Amino acid sequence: MNTDIINIIDVLHVIYFMLPAYLANMSALVFGGGKPLDMGVTLADGKRLIGDGATWRGTGAGTCVGLIVGGLQGFISGSVLAGALTGLLLGLGALLGDAAGSFIKRRIGIERGRPAPILDQLDFVFGALLLVSPLVNLPLYYIVLIMVITVVLHLSANIVAYLMGMKDVWY
């Protein structure tokens, strides 16, 4: 048996599985803006709870995109309801994970837009996998593969956006 084919199939499978989370995360950025999730709350440490980057509009739009993508995947596989539910959990989980990452960054003194390697690339993955875990039981191998692929995809997309002038920083 050719293990290269199995690995390629696994890579394609985890990317396909994570599409609702990936697209929800990107959509929140594209369609975001407006009122921040934390409503401007500042904690006793003088720092914002989350910051202006995570917004209600972005969270709503991203969650809807995750739901739609999951529903389309469910249509392809023959179970729209299961796909939509999976997409909803992956999309909402991704956005909640991203907000949790912002919360952590604020607590350790990293300002919005400043890098936090690994946290910036994987916070949304942890949120997505945590929320979908009651519905989908992924093997550890797939979870590790998702993390590796996500870091590569995230950094590649950011570098391309930077080179195209869409981002001020490459990370």
Side-chain angles (χ1 to χ4, degrees), residues 23-70:
L23 295 177
N25 197 44
M26 289 181 353
S27 297
L29 204 60
V30 172
F31 299 113
K35 288 247 184 238
L37 281 178
D38 69 6
M39 305 299 279
V41 170
T42 301
L43 296 182
D45 63 4
K47 299 172 187 163
R48 286 282 296 280
L49 181 64
I50 298 172
D52 290 332
T55 66
W56 288 102
R57 185 170 58 208
T59 301
T63 300
C64 286
V65 167
L67 173 71
I68 292 166
V69 171

Side-chain angles (χ1 to χ4, degrees), residues 42-103:
T42 301
L43 296 182
D45 63 4
K47 299 172 187 163
R48 286 282 296 280
L49 181 64
I50 298 172
D52 290 332
T55 66
W56 288 102
R57 185 170 58 208
T59 301
T63 300
C64 286
V65 167
L67 173 71
I68 292 166
V69 171
L72 291 171
Q73 289 174 320
F75 178 76
I76 291 168
S77 70
S79 180
V80 174
L81 183 59
L85 182 57
T86 301
L88 174 70
L89 294 174
L90 284 169
L92 179 59
L95 300 170
L96 293 177
D98 192 55
S102 293
F103 174 82

Side-chain angles (χ1 to χ4, degrees), residues 89-137:
L89 294 174
L90 284 169
L92 179 59
L95 300 170
L96 293 177
D98 192 55
S102 293
F103 174 82
I104 292 167
K105 286 174 72 171
R106 298 302 89 79
R107 302 291 66 77
I108 60 177
I110 300 174
E111 295 302 318
R112 182 175 177 219
R114 301 303 311 156
I118 303 302
L119 178 61
D120 286 336
Q121 290 78 37
L122 295 179
D123 54 2
F124 79 97
V125 169
F126 291 133
L129 294 178
L130 182 64
L131 230 59
V132 82
S133 66
L135 191 66
V136 178
N137 185 20

Side-chain angles (χ1 to χ4, degrees), residues 13 25 59 110 145 149 169:
H13 186 249
N25 197 44
T59 301
I110 300 174
L145 194 55
I149 289 168
V169 293

